[in-house]
Amino acid sequence: MSDRQEEELRAASLFAAVGLAESTAKEVAKTRKTREELVTVIEEAGASEGCSKAVGVHLYQISRKYPLNARDHRKAFMLDYVMSEKIKASNQLDGALEYLGRIGSDPVNRAELEEASGVGVEVTHDQLAAAVKEVIHAEAELLREDRYHAKLGPLQAGVKSQLKWADGAAVKAELEAQVAAFLGPKTEADMRPPDKKAKKKKAQERAAAAAASAAAAESAPATGVSSLANGPMPSANGNAAPSEASATTGTSTAEDASSSSPFTFLPAPEENNKVHTVVNFSDGRIMEIRNTADQLQKHLARTGRRVITRFPPEPNGYLHIGHAKAMFVSFGMAAESNGDCYLRFDDTNPEAEKLEYIEHIQDIVSWMGWKPYKITYSSDYFTELHQFAVQLIKAGCAYVDHQTADEIKQYREERRPSPWRERPTDESLRIFEEMRRGMTDEGQATLRMKQDVKNENYNMFDLIAYRVKFMPHPHAGTGWCIYPSYDFTHCLVDILEDVTHSLCTLEFESRRASYYWLLEVLDCYKPVVWEYARLNVTNNVLSKRKLNRLATGGIIRGWDDPRLLTLAGLRRRGVTAAAINSFCRELGITRTDSAVHLHKLDHHIRLDLDASSPRCLAVLRPLRVVLTNLPEDHHATYDAKVFPGRGEETYSVCLTRVVYIEATDFRDHDSKDYYGLAPGKSILLKYAGAITCQDFSVSDGQVTEVRATFTPIQEGAKPPKGVLNWVGQPAAGQEPLEFEARLYSELFKSLDPSDLGDAWMEDLNPTSETVIKGAYACTQLSKAQPGDRFQLERLGYFCVDSDSSSSNMVINRTCTLRESASSKAVSKK
Ligand code: ATP
Ligand code: MG
């Protein structure tokens, strides 16, 4: 090997180490100039030992495009901005290089450079959604006309012109989701390739109309909505809360593992000395809630400055996708700050809790990939909570009340104090002790916090702290007959567990005042409380009460029915935890309540399954095809790709005289735009060869058998356009592996069944589950076990169901392939 060749090889392997594709690395190494430049750049950046692919691509761009006049700044720029990944996207790099070229050898003004390259600009999901909405609105006419054939590139550019630094992948995902929501499900016409002639004519008409309106507009001011190419659109509405502005980032997508933390806007534990909230009392008093220096000091000494969060499910049902968001927030924040997150069963109500739920929750939290720091129960702290209650009475901040539940309600509505509110402290202490010892009947007495009955905030009207309930507790046992309320328990257990960030959903916002009031009057440390929006998903329900009705009412297959958005249901359907978490990351932790479209979840499911699901040939509704030119005992095997286009791994499929194709892929009449099988027409049996239909038999109006001739794939010969999935017999005369397929669609017909009030059950979609028996698969599938996932080519992603037995394999469709991909398979190879 010559010296030059050796040098090329060395350089190519260095370039591969910084993440360049093998072919690019070789190409760049071939030419002396490009090779030496990139080697110098890599050395200067200190990346000779390798770096992430994203950084490597930037270094390569720098070696090609860095302005010569700013050479003096190159090293510092690479170290400060590229290696530290402050510059993430290629348009950011371009902005920076443009700025550097402009200043040449003048000193760098960091603020200007960062402005030119969008460093530190965070695009919230709300901003992105608003910008996309605006672009769709502006292009509504074109979308209605061209529907799914419309090119999304210009729309994407329109969004980018509003939000220059938004992440490209996030823009694309949001655009696809909103276009789908705007246009609704694809029609047959949407799935066919576009009619090129009609499209050309339409484009000409549009151009003529644009020219006419431009001429007319010469004398009138432009409206700004006419074309996306006309420059920046009005800026997206930016009314996100200040905290929210950094809560989500445009780069937080599943594809981008290097996306920045969505939690950086929350203060670190040692910064928890600002005012949390100000509680205004009806008599004019003001309570300013903040930690004293002493409280903060002691807290930090106990925790070693760790971030500590908690995920507090009530064990009264299975967890759902909304809880996945809650876990993403609390476990996620702890994980991103090297802190700890408790899994805390919020089990103060002994009535609804069940061991089944507790076991399930632990299992599913771990399936979602989260490791609790400790598993605790609110009921573990009943003794401490009782001591706090006594302390509260002694401080004159709680009293025993004898009003009935109805009286309490009425008095609260009238904002009148209970007649027992001013009773002496000793009396309350004595009766509270009697309550604890079981000497007071249920409903005879409650302990109430002495807050502010005339407060503007309903949740400051002397909330109940304890109730008498003669019922053993599933976790704490028989030791108690008084049970603390959620409002009394939650904040105090946060303190007992030294929680630094108590993150919850927005419906708790109005309880912030009472949360902090209790901690203030008991002289406790105050965590940071922050609320985020509950997740709602279209065409489904997430309330545990409703899920319980469906799951236990015999309406569906239980809590883990694949149509539910319970995590158990999603798991059974074949969805991975990774897909759910990347969906949550994309949603961000915004404070805007909205229903997320199911398409959004599907997008993440496909991304994840595409990479991990081995392919397999199968047909759901088999149509028998006899290949008349093959002998009875014909048996040939072909190599099918496990991951077509990626890697060489194969499995065998066998071709016999009788094969099966999808019944929907045959028509008795051919037409020009049809790529399936029809009399006289040829299609390709994927991986095997072409077949040409001769004739077919019909019985009772149904096509029962097709006869065709087989032609092996021949080098150089043009294959037919349509490529079909098919299944042969394992041996001549033997039927293929049979399975039951369960296909799913929306569980409810309307987007938000909760809108229908008590009639929500009437909205159930009667065709939400389609069971197909007698589907056929190639023998590859015979080894599959419950939980195994596949892509059945052209049919979708599937997962073996837990109902499977040795005699009946049941396979759930997790989701369809992107429709465009499945229609492509029929039309093109
Ligand atoms: P439900 O009203 O359905 O019974 P819940 O709020 O009572 O739900 P919990 O078990 O108490 O359910 O919830 C545990 C945590 O998960 C809480 O912090 C709660 O705020 C959060 N959570 C529940 N539902 C959602 C949701 N749809 N989106 C985001 N977080 C949620
Ligand atoms: Mg709850």
Side-chain angles (χ1 to χ4, degrees), residues 443-496:
Q444 294 288 300
T446 54
L447 183 71
R448 293 184 67 185
M449 299 187 243
K450 201 168 174 181
Q451 297 172 303
D452 183 15
V453 285
K454 293 201 188 315
N455 201 288
E456 283 179 1
N457 181 346
Y458 187 79
N459 284 315
M460 283 293 285
F461 294 7
D462 289 11
L463 297 180
I464 290 178
Y466 268 88
R467 290 186 179 82
V468 176
K469 224 174 248 178
F470 288 104
M471 177 179 261
H473 188 279
H475 184 69
T478 52
W480 295 92
C481 63
I482 51 170
Y483 290 102
S485 65
Y486 170 87
D487 294 292
F488 183 76
T489 309
H490 198 80
C491 56
L492 291 172
V493 177
D494 276 354
I495 296 318
L496 292 165

Coordinates of all heavy atoms in Angstrom, one line a residue, residues 443-496:
G443 N -69.3 10.3 60.7 CA -70.1 11.4 60.4 C -70.5 12.3 61.5 O -71.1 13.3 61.3
Q444 N -70.0 11.9 62.7 CA -70.3 12.8 63.9 C -69.3 13.9 64.1 O -69.6 14.9 64.7 CB -70.2 11.9 65.2 CG -71.3 10.9 65.3 CD -72.6 11.5 65.6 OE1 -72.8 12.1 66.6 NE2 -73.6 11.3 64.7
A445 N -68.1 13.7 63.6 CA -67.1 14.7 63.8 C -66.0 14.7 62.7 O -65.7 13.6 62.2 CB -66.4 14.5 65.1
T446 N -65.5 15.9 62.3 CA -64.4 15.9 61.4 C -63.4 16.9 62.0 O -63.8 17.8 62.8 CB -64.8 16.5 60.0 OG1 -65.4 17.7 60.2 CG2 -65.7 15.5 59.3
L447 N -62.1 16.8 61.6 CA -61.2 17.8 62.0 C -61.1 18.8 60.8 O -60.8 18.3 59.7 CB -59.8 17.2 62.3 CG -58.8 18.2 62.8 CD1 -59.2 18.8 64.2 CD2 -57.4 17.7 62.8
R448 N -61.2 20.1 61.0 CA -61.2 21.0 59.9 C -60.0 22.0 60.2 O -59.8 22.4 61.3 CB -62.5 21.7 59.8 CG -63.6 20.8 59.3 CD -64.9 21.5 59.0 NE -64.8 22.4 57.9 CZ -65.8 23.2 57.6 NH1 -66.9 23.2 58.3 NH2 -65.7 24.0 56.5
M449 N -59.4 22.4 59.1 CA -58.3 23.4 59.1 C -59.0 24.7 59.3 O -60.0 25.0 58.6 CB -57.5 23.3 57.9 CG -56.8 22.0 57.7 SD -55.7 22.0 56.3 CE -56.4 20.8 55.2
K450 N -58.4 25.6 60.1 CA -59.0 26.9 60.4 C -58.3 27.9 59.4 O -57.3 28.5 59.7 CB -58.8 27.3 61.8 CG -59.7 28.3 62.4 CD -59.5 28.4 63.9 CE -60.3 29.5 64.5 NZ -60.1 29.6 65.9
Q451 N -58.9 28.0 58.2 CA -58.3 28.8 57.2 C -59.0 30.2 57.0 O -58.7 31.0 57.9 CB -58.3 28.0 55.9 CG -57.4 26.7 56.0 CD -57.5 25.8 54.8 OE1 -58.7 25.4 54.4 NE2 -56.4 25.5 54.2
D452 N -59.9 30.3 56.1 CA -60.5 31.6 55.9 C -61.8 31.4 55.1 O -61.8 31.3 53.9 CB -59.5 32.5 55.0 CG -60.0 33.9 54.8 OD1 -61.0 34.3 55.5 OD2 -59.4 34.6 53.9
V453 N -62.9 31.3 55.8 CA -64.1 31.0 55.2 C -64.7 32.0 54.2 O -65.5 31.7 53.4 CB -65.3 30.6 56.2 CG1 -65.1 29.3 56.9 CG2 -65.5 31.8 57.2
K454 N -64.1 33.2 54.3 CA -64.6 34.2 53.3 C -63.6 34.5 52.2 O -63.7 35.5 51.5 CB -64.9 35.5 54.1 CG -66.1 35.4 55.1 CD -66.7 36.7 55.4 CE -67.7 36.7 56.5 NZ -68.7 35.7 56.4
N455 N -62.6 33.6 52.1 CA -61.6 33.8 51.1 C -62.2 33.8 49.7 O -63.2 33.1 49.5 CB -60.5 32.7 51.3 CG -59.2 33.2 50.7 OD1 -59.1 33.2 49.5 ND2 -58.2 33.5 51.5
E456 N -61.5 34.4 48.8 CA -62.0 34.3 47.4 C -61.8 32.9 46.8 O -62.4 32.5 45.9 CB -61.1 35.3 46.5 CG -61.5 36.7 46.7 CD -60.7 37.6 45.8 OE1 -59.8 37.2 45.1 OE2 -60.9 38.8 45.9
N457 N -60.8 32.2 47.4 CA -60.5 30.9 46.9 C -61.3 29.8 47.7 O -61.1 29.7 48.9 CB -59.0 30.7 47.1 CG -58.5 29.3 46.6 OD1 -59.4 28.4 46.4 ND2 -57.3 29.2 46.4
Y458 N -62.2 29.1 47.1 CA -63.0 28.1 47.7 C -62.2 27.1 48.4 O -62.6 26.5 49.4 CB -63.8 27.4 46.5 CG -64.8 26.5 47.0 CD1 -66.1 26.9 47.4 CD2 -64.6 25.1 46.9 CE1 -67.1 26.0 47.8 CE2 -65.6 24.2 47.3 CZ -66.8 24.7 47.7 OH -67.8 23.8 48.1
N459 N -61.0 26.8 47.9 CA -60.2 25.8 48.6 C -59.4 26.4 49.8 O -58.5 25.7 50.3 CB -59.2 25.2 47.6 CG -59.9 24.2 46.7 OD1 -60.7 23.4 47.2 ND2 -59.7 24.4 45.4
M460 N -59.8 27.5 50.3 CA -59.3 28.0 51.6 C -60.5 28.0 52.7 O -60.3 28.5 53.7 CB -58.7 29.4 51.4 CG -57.4 29.5 50.8 SD -56.1 28.7 51.9 CE -55.9 30.0 53.1
F461 N -61.6 27.5 52.3 CA -62.8 27.5 53.2 C -62.7 26.3 54.2 O -63.5 25.4 54.2 CB -64.1 27.3 52.4 CG -64.5 28.4 51.5 CD1 -63.7 29.4 51.2 CD2 -65.7 28.3 50.9 CE1 -64.0 30.4 50.3 CE2 -66.1 29.3 50.0 CZ -65.3 30.4 49.7
D462 N -61.8 26.4 55.1 CA -61.7 25.4 56.2 C -61.8 24.0 55.7 O -62.8 23.2 56.0 CB -62.8 25.7 57.3 CG -62.4 26.9 58.1 OD1 -61.5 27.7 57.6 OD2 -63.1 27.1 59.1
L463 N -60.8 23.5 54.9 CA -60.9 22.2 54.3 C -60.8 21.1 55.4 O -60.3 21.4 56.5 CB -59.7 22.0 53.4 CG -59.6 22.9 52.2 CD1 -58.4 22.6 51.3 CD2 -60.9 22.7 51.3
I464 N -61.4 20.0 55.1 CA -61.4 18.9 56.1 C -60.0 18.3 56.2 O -59.4 18.0 55.1 CB -62.5 17.8 55.7 CG1 -63.8 18.5 55.9 CG2 -62.3 16.5 56.5 CD1 -65.0 17.6 55.6
A465 N -59.5 18.0 57.4 CA -58.2 17.4 57.5 C -58.4 15.9 57.9 O -57.6 15.0 57.4 CB -57.4 18.1 58.6
Y466 N -59.4 15.5 58.7 CA -59.6 14.1 59.1 C -61.0 13.8 59.1 O -61.9 14.6 59.5 CB -59.0 13.9 60.5 CG -57.5 13.4 60.5 CD1 -56.5 14.4 60.5 CD2 -57.2 12.1 60.5 CE1 -55.2 14.0 60.5 CE2 -55.9 11.7 60.5 CZ -54.9 12.6 60.5 OH -53.6 12.2 60.4
R467 N -61.3 12.5 58.8 CA -62.7 12.0 58.9 C -62.6 10.7 59.7 O -61.6 10.0 59.7 CB -63.2 11.6 57.5 CG -63.6 12.7 56.7 CD -64.2 12.2 55.4 NE -64.6 13.3 54.5 CZ -63.7 13.9 53.7 NH1 -62.5 13.5 53.6 NH2 -64.1 15.0 53.0
V468 N -63.7 10.3 60.3 CA -63.8 9.1 61.0 C -64.3 8.0 60.0 O -65.3 8.3 59.3 CB -64.8 9.1 62.2 CG1 -65.0 7.8 62.9 CG2 -64.4 10.2 63.2
K469 N -63.7 6.9 59.9 CA -64.1 5.8 59.0 C -63.8 4.5 59.7 O -62.6 4.2 59.9 CB -63.4 5.9 57.7 CG -64.3 5.8 56.5 CD -63.6 6.0 55.2 CE -64.1 7.3 54.6 NZ -63.4 7.6 53.3
F470 N -64.8 3.7 60.0 CA -64.5 2.4 60.7 C -64.3 1.4 59.6 O -65.2 0.7 59.2 CB -65.7 2.0 61.6 CG -65.7 2.9 62.8 CD1 -66.7 3.9 63.0 CD2 -64.8 2.7 63.9 CE1 -66.7 4.7 64.1 CE2 -64.8 3.5 65.0 CZ -65.7 4.5 65.1
M471 N -63.1 1.4 59.2 CA -62.7 0.5 58.1 C -61.2 0.2 58.1 O -60.5 1.2 58.3 CB -63.1 1.2 56.8 CG -62.7 0.4 55.5 SD -63.2 1.3 54.1 CE -64.8 0.6 53.7
P472 N -60.9 -1.1 58.0 CA -59.4 -1.3 58.0 C -58.8 -0.8 56.7 O -59.5 -0.6 55.7 CB -59.3 -2.8 58.1 CG -60.6 -3.3 57.6 CD -61.6 -2.3 57.9
H473 N -57.5 -0.5 56.8 CA -56.8 0.1 55.6 C -56.1 -1.0 54.9 O -55.4 -1.8 55.6 CB -55.9 1.2 56.1 CG -55.3 2.0 55.0 ND1 -54.2 1.5 54.2 CD2 -55.7 3.1 54.4 CE1 -54.0 2.4 53.3 NE2 -54.8 3.4 53.4
P474 N -56.1 -1.1 53.6 CA -55.5 -2.3 52.9 C -54.0 -2.3 53.2 O -53.4 -3.4 53.1 CB -55.7 -2.0 51.4 CG -56.6 -0.8 51.3 CD -56.9 -0.3 52.7
H475 N -53.4 -1.2 53.4 CA -51.9 -1.2 53.6 C -51.6 -1.0 55.1 O -50.7 -1.6 55.7 CB -51.3 -0.1 52.8 CG -49.8 -0.1 52.9 ND1 -49.0 -1.1 52.3 CD2 -48.9 0.8 53.5 CE1 -47.7 -0.8 52.6 NE2 -47.6 0.3 53.3
A476 N -52.3 0.0 55.8 CA -51.9 0.3 57.1 C -52.5 -0.6 58.2 O -52.2 -0.6 59.3 CB -52.3 1.7 57.4
G477 N -53.5 -1.5 57.7 CA -54.1 -2.4 58.6 C -55.2 -1.9 59.5 O -55.9 -1.0 59.0
T478 N -55.3 -2.4 60.7 CA -56.5 -2.1 61.5 C -56.3 -1.0 62.6 O -57.1 -0.7 63.4 CB -57.0 -3.3 62.2 OG1 -55.9 -3.9 62.9 CG2 -57.6 -4.4 61.3
G479 N -55.1 -0.4 62.5 CA -54.7 0.5 63.6 C -55.5 1.9 63.6 O -55.4 2.6 64.6
W480 N -56.2 2.2 62.5 CA -56.7 3.5 62.4 C -58.2 3.5 62.1 O -58.7 2.6 61.4 CB -56.0 4.3 61.3 CG -54.6 4.6 61.6 CD1 -53.5 3.8 61.3 CD2 -54.1 5.6 62.4 NE1 -52.4 4.3 61.8 CE2 -52.6 5.4 62.5 CE3 -54.6 6.7 63.0 CZ2 -51.8 6.3 63.1 CZ3 -53.8 7.6 63.7 CH2 -52.4 7.4 63.8
C481 N -58.9 4.5 62.7 CA -60.3 4.7 62.3 C -60.6 6.1 62.0 O -61.7 6.6 61.8 CB -61.3 4.2 63.4 SG -61.1 5.1 64.9
I482 N -59.5 6.9 62.0 CA -59.6 8.3 61.4 C -58.6 8.3 60.2 O -57.5 7.8 60.3 CB -59.2 9.4 62.4 CG1 -57.9 9.1 63.1 CG2 -60.3 9.6 63.4 CD1 -57.4 10.3 63.9
Y483 N -59.1 8.9 59.1 CA -58.2 9.0 57.9 C -58.0 10.4 57.5 O -59.0 11.2 57.4 CB -58.8 8.1 56.8 CG -58.7 6.6 57.2 CD1 -59.8 5.9 57.7 CD2 -57.5 5.9 57.1 CE1 -59.7 4.6 58.0 CE2 -57.4 4.6 57.4 CZ -58.5 3.9 57.9 OH -58.4 2.6 58.2
P484 N -56.8 10.8 57.1 CA -56.6 12.2 56.7 C -57.0 12.4 55.2 O -57.1 11.5 54.4 CB -55.0 12.3 56.7 CG -54.5 10.9 56.6 CD -55.6 10.0 57.1
S485 N -57.4 13.6 54.9 CA -57.8 13.9 53.6 C -56.6 14.2 52.7 O -55.5 14.3 53.1 CB -58.6 15.3 53.6 OG -57.8 16.3 54.0
Y486 N -56.9 14.2 51.4 CA -55.9 14.5 50.4 C -55.2 15.8 50.7 O -54.0 15.9 50.7 CB -56.5 14.5 49.0 CG -55.5 15.1 47.9 CD1 -54.6 14.2 47.3 CD2 -55.4 16.4 47.7 CE1 -53.7 14.7 46.4 CE2 -54.5 16.9 46.8 CZ -53.6 16.0 46.2 OH -52.6 16.5 45.3
D487 N -56.0 16.9 51.0 CA -55.4 18.2 51.1 C -54.5 18.3 52.4 O -53.5 19.0 52.4 CB -56.6 19.2 51.3 CG -57.3 19.4 50.0 OD1 -56.8 19.9 49.0 OD2 -58.5 18.9 50.0
F488 N -54.9 17.5 53.4 CA -54.0 17.5 54.6 C -52.8 16.7 54.3 O -51.7 17.1 54.7 CB -54.8 16.9 55.8 CG -54.0 17.0 57.1 CD1 -53.9 18.2 57.8 CD2 -53.4 15.8 57.6 CE1 -53.1 18.2 58.9 CE2 -52.7 15.9 58.7 CZ -52.6 17.1 59.4
T489 N -52.9 15.6 53.6 CA -51.8 14.6 53.5 C -50.8 15.0 52.5 O -49.6 14.9 52.8 CB -52.4 13.3 53.0 OG1 -53.5 12.9 53.8 CG2 -51.4 12.2 53.0
H490 N -51.2 15.5 51.3 CA -50.3 15.6 50.2 C -49.1 16.5 50.5 O -47.9 16.0 50.3 CB -51.0 16.1 49.0 CG -50.2 15.8 47.7 ND1 -50.2 14.5 47.1 CD2 -49.4 16.5 47.0 CE1 -49.4 14.6 46.1 NE2 -48.9 15.8 46.0
C491 N -49.3 17.7 51.0 CA -48.2 18.6 51.2 C -47.3 18.1 52.4 O -46.1 18.2 52.3 CB -48.7 20.0 51.5 SG -49.8 20.1 52.8
L492 N -47.9 17.5 53.4 CA -47.1 17.0 54.5 C -46.3 15.8 54.2 O -45.1 15.7 54.6 CB -48.0 16.7 55.7 CG -48.6 18.0 56.3 CD1 -49.7 17.7 57.4 CD2 -47.6 18.9 56.9
V493 N -46.8 14.9 53.3 CA -45.9 13.8 52.9 C -44.8 14.3 52.0 O -43.7 13.8 52.1 CB -46.8 12.7 52.3 CG1 -45.9 11.5 51.8 CG2 -47.8 12.1 53.3
D494 N -45.1 15.3 51.2 CA -44.0 15.9 50.4 C -42.9 16.4 51.4 O -41.7 16.2 51.1 CB -44.6 17.2 49.7 CG -45.2 16.8 48.3 OD1 -45.2 15.6 48.0 OD2 -45.8 17.7 47.7
I495 N -43.3 16.9 52.5 CA -42.3 17.4 53.4 C -41.5 16.3 54.1 O -40.3 16.3 54.2 CB -42.9 18.3 54.5 CG1 -43.5 19.5 53.9 CG2 -42.0 18.7 55.6 CD1 -42.7 20.1 52.8
L496 N -42.3 15.2 54.5 CA -41.7 14.1 55.1 C -40.7 13.4 54.2 O -39.8 12.7 54.6 CB -42.8 13.1 55.6 CG -43.6 13.7 56.8 CD1 -44.9 12.9 57.0 CD2 -42.8 13.8 58.1

